[in-house]
PDB file of all heavy atoms in Angstrom:
ATOM      1  N   ALA A 128      97.785 192.966  28.157  1.00  0.00           N
ATOM      2  CA  ALA A 128      98.834 193.949  28.426  1.00  0.00           C
ATOM      3  C   ALA A 128      98.477 194.710  29.698  1.00  0.00           C
ATOM      4  O   ALA A 128      97.313 194.725  30.117  1.00  0.00           O
ATOM      5  CB  ALA A 128      98.960 194.930  27.259  1.00  0.00           C
ATOM      6  N   THR A 129      99.474 195.344  30.292  1.00  0.00           N
ATOM      7  CA  THR A 129      99.150 196.261  31.382  1.00  0.00           C
ATOM      8  C   THR A 129      98.482 197.502  30.786  1.00  0.00           C
ATOM      9  O   THR A 129      98.636 197.817  29.597  1.00  0.00           O
ATOM     10  CB  THR A 129     100.412 196.707  32.128  1.00  0.00           C
ATOM     11  OG1 THR A 129     101.285 197.367  31.205  1.00  0.00           O
ATOM     12  CG2 THR A 129     101.121 195.534  32.787  1.00  0.00           C
ATOM     13  N   ALA A 130      97.751 198.222  31.632  1.00  0.00           N
ATOM     14  CA  ALA A 130      97.093 199.444  31.152  1.00  0.00           C
ATOM     15  C   ALA A 130      98.125 200.428  30.615  1.00  0.00           C
ATOM     16  O   ALA A 130      97.870 201.143  29.638  1.00  0.00           O
ATOM     17  CB  ALA A 130      96.284 200.069  32.292  1.00  0.00           C
ATOM     18  N   SER A 131      99.316 200.464  31.249  1.00  0.00           N
ATOM     19  CA  SER A 131     100.346 201.410  30.798  1.00  0.00           C
ATOM     20  C   SER A 131     100.816 201.086  29.390  1.00  0.00           C
ATOM     21  O   SER A 131     100.927 201.971  28.526  1.00  0.00           O
ATOM     22  CB  SER A 131     101.531 201.394  31.767  1.00  0.00           C
ATOM     23  OG  SER A 131     101.132 201.831  33.053  1.00  0.00           O
ATOM     24  N   VAL A 132     101.113 199.819  29.126  1.00  0.00           N
ATOM     25  CA  VAL A 132     101.579 199.426  27.793  1.00  0.00           C
ATOM     26  C   VAL A 132     100.466 199.633  26.766  1.00  0.00           C
ATOM     27  O   VAL A 132     100.700 200.124  25.653  1.00  0.00           O
ATOM     28  CB  VAL A 132     102.077 197.967  27.815  1.00  0.00           C
ATOM     29  CG1 VAL A 132     102.277 197.432  26.399  1.00  0.00           C
ATOM     30  CG2 VAL A 132     103.379 197.865  28.616  1.00  0.00           C
ATOM     31  N   ARG A 133      99.237 199.303  27.141  1.00  0.00           N
ATOM     32  CA  ARG A 133      98.111 199.527  26.220  1.00  0.00           C
ATOM     33  C   ARG A 133      97.981 200.993  25.856  1.00  0.00           C
ATOM     34  O   ARG A 133      97.791 201.338  24.685  1.00  0.00           O
ATOM     35  CB  ARG A 133      96.809 199.022  26.861  1.00  0.00           C
ATOM     36  CG  ARG A 133      95.555 199.396  26.073  1.00  0.00           C
ATOM     37  CD  ARG A 133      94.276 198.863  26.712  1.00  0.00           C
ATOM     38  NE  ARG A 133      94.127 199.184  28.120  1.00  0.00           N
ATOM     39  CZ  ARG A 133      93.761 200.386  28.606  1.00  0.00           C
ATOM     40  NH1 ARG A 133      93.516 201.394  27.779  1.00  0.00           N
ATOM     41  NH2 ARG A 133      93.629 200.570  29.912  1.00  0.00           N
ATOM     42  N   ARG A 134      98.128 201.870  26.836  1.00  0.00           N
ATOM     43  CA  ARG A 134      97.979 203.311  26.554  1.00  0.00           C
ATOM     44  C   ARG A 134      99.092 203.806  25.630  1.00  0.00           C
ATOM     45  O   ARG A 134      98.850 204.609  24.734  1.00  0.00           O
ATOM     46  CB  ARG A 134      97.982 204.094  27.869  1.00  0.00           C
ATOM     47  CG  ARG A 134      96.732 203.856  28.698  1.00  0.00           C
ATOM     48  CD  ARG A 134      96.757 204.705  29.956  1.00  0.00           C
ATOM     49  NE  ARG A 134      96.591 206.124  29.664  1.00  0.00           N
ATOM     50  CZ  ARG A 134      96.791 207.095  30.565  1.00  0.00           C
ATOM     51  NH1 ARG A 134      97.165 206.773  31.795  1.00  0.00           N
ATOM     52  NH2 ARG A 134      96.614 208.352  30.234  1.00  0.00           N
ATOM     53  N   ILE A 135     100.318 203.339  25.882  1.00  0.00           N
ATOM     54  CA  ILE A 135     101.429 203.758  25.024  1.00  0.00           C
ATOM     55  C   ILE A 135     101.148 203.389  23.564  1.00  0.00           C
ATOM     56  O   ILE A 135     101.285 204.206  22.651  1.00  0.00           O
ATOM     57  CB  ILE A 135     102.753 203.092  25.480  1.00  0.00           C
ATOM     58  CG1 ILE A 135     103.180 203.626  26.842  1.00  0.00           C
ATOM     59  CG2 ILE A 135     103.849 203.314  24.448  1.00  0.00           C
ATOM     60  CD1 ILE A 135     104.287 202.812  27.494  1.00  0.00           C
ATOM     61  N   LEU A 136     100.727 202.147  23.357  1.00  0.00           N
ATOM     62  CA  LEU A 136     100.554 201.670  21.984  1.00  0.00           C
ATOM     63  C   LEU A 136      99.305 202.268  21.341  1.00  0.00           C
ATOM     64  O   LEU A 136      99.340 202.733  20.201  1.00  0.00           O
ATOM     65  CB  LEU A 136     100.490 200.142  21.956  1.00  0.00           C
ATOM     66  CG  LEU A 136     101.731 199.423  22.495  1.00  0.00           C
ATOM     67  CD1 LEU A 136     101.578 197.921  22.339  1.00  0.00           C
ATOM     68  CD2 LEU A 136     103.002 199.902  21.810  1.00  0.00           C
ATOM     69  N   ARG A 137      98.198 202.286  22.055  1.00  0.00           N
ATOM     70  CA  ARG A 137      96.933 202.658  21.426  1.00  0.00           C
ATOM     71  C   ARG A 137      96.691 204.158  21.413  1.00  0.00           C
ATOM     72  O   ARG A 137      96.059 204.679  20.488  1.00  0.00           O
ATOM     73  CB  ARG A 137      95.767 201.957  22.128  1.00  0.00           C
ATOM     74  CG  ARG A 137      95.795 200.446  21.940  1.00  0.00           C
ATOM     75  CD  ARG A 137      94.481 199.820  22.293  1.00  0.00           C
ATOM     76  NE  ARG A 137      93.386 200.304  21.420  1.00  0.00           N
ATOM     77  CZ  ARG A 137      92.129 199.968  21.571  1.00  0.00           C
ATOM     78  NH1 ARG A 137      91.789 199.162  22.568  1.00  0.00           N
ATOM     79  NH2 ARG A 137      91.202 200.435  20.765  1.00  0.00           N
ATOM     80  N   GLU A 138      97.164 204.873  22.437  1.00  0.00           N
ATOM     81  CA  GLU A 138      96.855 206.307  22.517  1.00  0.00           C
ATOM     82  C   GLU A 138      97.954 207.169  21.915  1.00  0.00           C
ATOM     83  O   GLU A 138      97.694 208.288  21.477  1.00  0.00           O
ATOM     84  CB  GLU A 138      96.618 206.694  23.989  1.00  0.00           C
ATOM     85  CG  GLU A 138      95.400 205.992  24.591  1.00  0.00           C
ATOM     86  CD  GLU A 138      95.204 206.316  26.067  1.00  0.00           C
ATOM     87  OE1 GLU A 138      95.755 207.326  26.558  1.00  0.00           O
ATOM     88  OE2 GLU A 138      94.510 205.529  26.743  1.00  0.00           O
ATOM     89  N   ASP A 139      99.197 206.667  21.892  1.00  0.00           N
ATOM     90  CA  ASP A 139     100.304 207.497  21.414  1.00  0.00           C
ATOM     91  C   ASP A 139     100.828 207.083  20.041  1.00  0.00           C
ATOM     92  O   ASP A 139     101.612 207.814  19.440  1.00  0.00           O
ATOM     93  CB  ASP A 139     101.485 207.427  22.399  1.00  0.00           C
ATOM     94  CG  ASP A 139     101.112 207.957  23.772  1.00  0.00           C
ATOM     95  OD1 ASP A 139     100.047 208.573  23.887  1.00  0.00           O
ATOM     96  OD2 ASP A 139     101.897 207.752  24.709  1.00  0.00           O
ATOM     97  N   ASN A 140     100.454 205.914  19.578  1.00  0.00           N
ATOM     98  CA  ASN A 140     101.026 205.390  18.326  1.00  0.00           C
ATOM     99  C   ASN A 140      99.886 204.959  17.407  1.00  0.00           C
ATOM    100  O   ASN A 140      99.396 203.831  17.485  1.00  0.00           O
ATOM    101  CB  ASN A 140     101.964 204.211  18.632  1.00  0.00           C
ATOM    102  CG  ASN A 140     103.213 204.674  19.370  1.00  0.00           C
ATOM    103  OD1 ASN A 140     104.181 205.099  18.745  1.00  0.00           O
ATOM    104  ND2 ASN A 140     103.178 204.625  20.690  1.00  0.00           N
ATOM    105  N   SER A 141      99.503 205.884  16.506  1.00  0.00           N
ATOM    106  CA  SER A 141      98.269 205.687  15.746  1.00  0.00           C
ATOM    107  C   SER A 141      98.336 204.493  14.800  1.00  0.00           C
ATOM    108  O   SER A 141      97.292 203.980  14.387  1.00  0.00           O
ATOM    109  CB  SER A 141      97.936 206.966  14.966  1.00  0.00           C
ATOM    110  OG  SER A 141      98.992 207.298  14.085  1.00  0.00           O
ATOM    111  N   MET A 142      99.550 204.028  14.453  1.00  0.00           N
ATOM    112  CA  MET A 142      99.640 202.866  13.559  1.00  0.00           C
ATOM    113  C   MET A 142      98.921 201.640  14.123  1.00  0.00           C
ATOM    114  O   MET A 142      98.425 200.807  13.371  1.00  0.00           O
ATOM    115  CB  MET A 142     101.103 202.503  13.285  1.00  0.00           C
ATOM    116  CG  MET A 142     101.716 203.302  12.162  1.00  0.00           C
ATOM    117  SD  MET A 142     103.297 202.619  11.657  1.00  0.00           S
ATOM    118  CE  MET A 142     104.297 203.064  13.059  1.00  0.00           C
ATOM    119  N   PHE A 143      98.894 201.548  15.465  1.00  0.00           N
ATOM    120  CA  PHE A 143      98.261 200.379  16.068  1.00  0.00           C
ATOM    121  C   PHE A 143      96.743 200.395  15.876  1.00  0.00           C
ATOM    122  O   PHE A 143      96.064 199.407  16.148  1.00  0.00           O
ATOM    123  CB  PHE A 143      98.661 200.246  17.542  1.00  0.00           C
ATOM    124  CG  PHE A 143     100.093 199.808  17.698  1.00  0.00           C
ATOM    125  CD1 PHE A 143     101.118 200.737  17.745  1.00  0.00           C
ATOM    126  CD2 PHE A 143     100.410 198.462  17.772  1.00  0.00           C
ATOM    127  CE1 PHE A 143     102.444 200.336  17.854  1.00  0.00           C
ATOM    128  CE2 PHE A 143     101.732 198.051  17.877  1.00  0.00           C
ATOM    129  CZ  PHE A 143     102.758 198.988  17.920  1.00  0.00           C
ATOM    130  N   GLY A 144      96.225 201.516  15.381  1.00  0.00           N
ATOM    131  CA  GLY A 144      94.811 201.565  15.005  1.00  0.00           C
ATOM    132  C   GLY A 144      94.479 200.583  13.887  1.00  0.00           C
ATOM    133  O   GLY A 144      93.307 200.237  13.684  1.00  0.00           O
ATOM    134  N   MET A 145      95.500 200.114  13.164  1.00  0.00           N
ATOM    135  CA  MET A 145      95.269 199.108  12.124  1.00  0.00           C
ATOM    136  C   MET A 145      94.760 197.783  12.705  1.00  0.00           C
ATOM    137  O   MET A 145      94.267 196.937  11.973  1.00  0.00           O
ATOM    138  CB  MET A 145      96.560 198.856  11.332  1.00  0.00           C
ATOM    139  CG  MET A 145      96.983 200.034  10.472  1.00  0.00           C
ATOM    140  SD  MET A 145      95.768 200.463   9.210  1.00  0.00           S
ATOM    141  CE  MET A 145      96.080 199.171   7.996  1.00  0.00           C
ATOM    142  N   LEU A 146      94.910 197.628  14.010  1.00  0.00           N
ATOM    143  CA  LEU A 146      94.379 196.430  14.671  1.00  0.00           C
ATOM    144  C   LEU A 146      92.905 196.597  15.030  1.00  0.00           C
ATOM    145  O   LEU A 146      92.303 195.684  15.600  1.00  0.00           O
ATOM    146  CB  LEU A 146      95.180 196.134  15.947  1.00  0.00           C
ATOM    147  CG  LEU A 146      96.655 195.792  15.743  1.00  0.00           C
ATOM    148  CD1 LEU A 146      97.397 195.821  17.065  1.00  0.00           C
ATOM    149  CD2 LEU A 146      96.811 194.434  15.082  1.00  0.00           C
ATOM    150  N   HIS A 147      92.350 197.780  14.704  1.00  0.00           N
ATOM    151  CA  HIS A 147      90.982 198.091  15.149  1.00  0.00           C
ATOM    152  C   HIS A 147      90.132 198.649  14.017  1.00  0.00           C
ATOM    153  O   HIS A 147      89.319 199.535  14.223  1.00  0.00           O
ATOM    154  CB  HIS A 147      91.023 199.078  16.323  1.00  0.00           C
ATOM    155  CG  HIS A 147      91.729 198.501  17.507  1.00  0.00           C
ATOM    156  ND1 HIS A 147      91.125 197.661  18.395  1.00  0.00           N
ATOM    157  CD2 HIS A 147      93.020 198.601  17.896  1.00  0.00           C
ATOM    158  CE1 HIS A 147      92.007 197.276  19.298  1.00  0.00           C
ATOM    159  NE2 HIS A 147      93.165 197.822  19.024  1.00  0.00           N
ATOM    160  N   ARG A 148      90.306 198.111  12.816  1.00  0.00           N
ATOM    161  CA  ARG A 148      89.536 198.624  11.680  1.00  0.00           C
ATOM    162  C   ARG A 148      88.122 198.071  11.675  1.00  0.00           C
ATOM    163  O   ARG A 148      87.216 198.672  11.108  1.00  0.00           O
ATOM    164  CB  ARG A 148      90.250 198.287  10.380  1.00  0.00           C
ATOM    165  CG  ARG A 148      91.582 199.054  10.250  1.00  0.00           C
ATOM    166  CD  ARG A 148      92.423 198.516   9.108  1.00  0.00           C
ATOM    167  NE  ARG A 148      91.735 198.649   7.841  1.00  0.00           N
ATOM    168  CZ  ARG A 148      91.958 197.848   6.793  1.00  0.00           C
ATOM    169  NH1 ARG A 148      92.824 196.863   6.899  1.00  0.00           N
ATOM    170  NH2 ARG A 148      91.309 198.034   5.666  1.00  0.00           N
ATOM    171  N   ILE A 149      87.920 196.883  12.264  1.00  0.00           N
ATOM    172  CA  ILE A 149      86.575 196.302  12.360  1.00  0.00           C
ATOM    173  C   ILE A 149      86.338 195.910  13.817  1.00  0.00           C
ATOM    174  O   ILE A 149      87.288 195.730  14.584  1.00  0.00           O
ATOM    175  CB  ILE A 149      86.411 195.078  11.431  1.00  0.00           C
ATOM    176  CG1 ILE A 149      87.460 194.007  11.763  1.00  0.00           C
ATOM    177  CG2 ILE A 149      86.516 195.498   9.970  1.00  0.00           C
ATOM    178  CD1 ILE A 149      87.258 192.703  11.023  1.00  0.00           C
ATOM    179  N   PRO A 150      85.069 195.756  14.220  1.00  0.00           N
ATOM    180  CA  PRO A 150      84.771 195.505  15.644  1.00  0.00           C
ATOM    181  C   PRO A 150      85.393 194.215  16.176  1.00  0.00           C
ATOM    182  O   PRO A 150      85.857 194.177  17.309  1.00  0.00           O
ATOM    183  CB  PRO A 150      83.235 195.428  15.677  1.00  0.00           C
ATOM    184  CG  PRO A 150      82.790 196.193  14.479  1.00  0.00           C
ATOM    185  CD  PRO A 150      83.846 195.990  13.434  1.00  0.00           C
ATOM    186  N   ASP A 151      85.425 193.149  15.376  1.00  0.00           N
ATOM    187  CA  ASP A 151      85.884 191.857  15.899  1.00  0.00           C
ATOM    188  C   ASP A 151      87.347 191.588  15.562  1.00  0.00           C
ATOM    189  O   ASP A 151      87.722 190.470  15.234  1.00  0.00           O
ATOM    190  CB  ASP A 151      85.011 190.724  15.347  1.00  0.00           C
ATOM    191  CG  ASP A 151      83.600 190.823  15.871  1.00  0.00           C
ATOM    192  OD1 ASP A 151      83.429 191.310  17.011  1.00  0.00           O
ATOM    193  OD2 ASP A 151      82.674 190.425  15.150  1.00  0.00           O
ATOM    194  N   GLN A 152      88.180 192.629  15.649  1.00  0.00           N
ATOM    195  CA  GLN A 152      89.594 192.429  15.342  1.00  0.00           C
ATOM    196  C   GLN A 152      90.343 192.238  16.661  1.00  0.00           C
ATOM    197  O   GLN A 152      90.174 191.220  17.321  1.00  0.00           O
ATOM    198  CB  GLN A 152      90.099 193.599  14.508  1.00  0.00           C
ATOM    199  CG  GLN A 152      91.306 193.301  13.656  1.00  0.00           C
ATOM    200  CD  GLN A 152      91.669 194.483  12.764  1.00  0.00           C
ATOM    201  OE1 GLN A 152      90.866 195.389  12.530  1.00  0.00           O
ATOM    202  NE2 GLN A 152      92.896 194.490  12.273  1.00  0.00           N
ATOM    203  N   ALA A 153      91.149 193.192  17.094  1.00  0.00           N
ATOM    204  CA  ALA A 153      91.896 193.002  18.339  1.00  0.00           C
ATOM    205  C   ALA A 153      91.047 193.400  19.550  1.00  0.00           C
ATOM    206  O   ALA A 153      90.387 194.432  19.540  1.00  0.00           O
ATOM    207  CB  ALA A 153      93.170 193.823  18.319  1.00  0.00           C
ATOM    208  N   ALA A 154      91.094 192.551  20.568  1.00  0.00           N
ATOM    209  CA  ALA A 154      90.466 192.859  21.862  1.00  0.00           C
ATOM    210  C   ALA A 154      91.581 192.924  22.901  1.00  0.00           C
ATOM    211  O   ALA A 154      92.415 192.026  22.957  1.00  0.00           O
ATOM    212  CB  ALA A 154      89.449 191.791  22.229  1.00  0.00           C
ATOM    213  N   TRP A 155      91.595 193.983  23.687  1.00  0.00           N
ATOM    214  CA  TRP A 155      92.651 194.166  24.679  1.00  0.00           C
ATOM    215  C   TRP A 155      92.115 193.816  26.058  1.00  0.00           C
ATOM    216  O   TRP A 155      91.011 194.213  26.427  1.00  0.00           O
ATOM    217  CB  TRP A 155      93.159 195.615  24.680  1.00  0.00           C
ATOM    218  CG  TRP A 155      93.877 195.989  23.417  1.00  0.00           C
ATOM    219  CD1 TRP A 155      93.327 196.151  22.186  1.00  0.00           C
ATOM    220  CD2 TRP A 155      95.273 196.254  23.270  1.00  0.00           C
ATOM    221  NE1 TRP A 155      94.300 196.495  21.276  1.00  0.00           N
ATOM    222  CE2 TRP A 155      95.500 196.573  21.920  1.00  0.00           C
ATOM    223  CE3 TRP A 155      96.364 196.264  24.156  1.00  0.00           C
ATOM    224  CZ2 TRP A 155      96.774 196.880  21.417  1.00  0.00           C
ATOM    225  CZ3 TRP A 155      97.615 196.579  23.668  1.00  0.00           C
ATOM    226  CH2 TRP A 155      97.818 196.876  22.313  1.00  0.00           C
ATOM    227  N   THR A 156      92.898 193.097  26.825  1.00  0.00           N
ATOM    228  CA  THR A 156      92.542 192.768  28.198  1.00  0.00           C
ATOM    229  C   THR A 156      93.679 193.218  29.101  1.00  0.00           C
ATOM    230  O   THR A 156      94.815 192.770  28.945  1.00  0.00           O
ATOM    231  CB  THR A 156      92.319 191.246  28.352  1.00  0.00           C
ATOM    232  OG1 THR A 156      91.307 190.831  27.439  1.00  0.00           O
ATOM    233  CG2 THR A 156      91.904 190.907  29.775  1.00  0.00           C
ATOM    234  N   ASP A 157      93.365 194.105  30.021  1.00  0.00           N
ATOM    235  CA  ASP A 157      94.400 194.595  30.950  1.00  0.00           C
ATOM    236  C   ASP A 157      94.704 193.545  32.013  1.00  0.00           C
ATOM    237  O   ASP A 157      93.800 192.833  32.467  1.00  0.00           O
ATOM    238  CB  ASP A 157      93.925 195.865  31.662  1.00  0.00           C
ATOM    239  CG  ASP A 157      93.873 197.070  30.739  1.00  0.00           C
ATOM    240  OD1 ASP A 157      94.245 196.945  29.560  1.00  0.00           O
ATOM    241  OD2 ASP A 157      93.452 198.146  31.213  1.00  0.00           O
ATOM    242  N   PHE A 158      95.963 193.476  32.412  1.00  0.00           N
ATOM    243  CA  PHE A 158      96.312 192.705  33.604  1.00  0.00           C
ATOM    244  C   PHE A 158      97.172 193.576  34.501  1.00  0.00           C
ATOM    245  O   PHE A 158      97.724 194.590  34.064  1.00  0.00           O
ATOM    246  CB  PHE A 158      97.021 191.384  33.250  1.00  0.00           C
ATOM    247  CG  PHE A 158      98.362 191.537  32.581  1.00  0.00           C
ATOM    248  CD1 PHE A 158      99.499 191.826  33.318  1.00  0.00           C
ATOM    249  CD2 PHE A 158      98.492 191.378  31.205  1.00  0.00           C
ATOM    250  CE1 PHE A 158     100.740 191.967  32.710  1.00  0.00           C
ATOM    251  CE2 PHE A 158      99.731 191.524  30.586  1.00  0.00           C
ATOM    252  CZ  PHE A 158     100.857 191.818  31.345  1.00  0.00           C
TER     253      PHE A 158
END
Side-chain angles (χ1 to χ4, degrees):
T129 60
S131 297
V132 167
R133 171 179 51 77
R134 290 183 70 191
I135 292 167
L136 300 183
R137 294 196 62 184
E138 296 177 19
D139 298 348
N140 292 275
S141 59
M142 275 192 289
F143 288 88
M145 291 298 283
L146 296 168
H147 298 278
R148 293 168 61 207
I149 58 172
D151 294 329
Q152 204 175 342
W155 293 70
T156 303
D157 289 357
F158 64 79

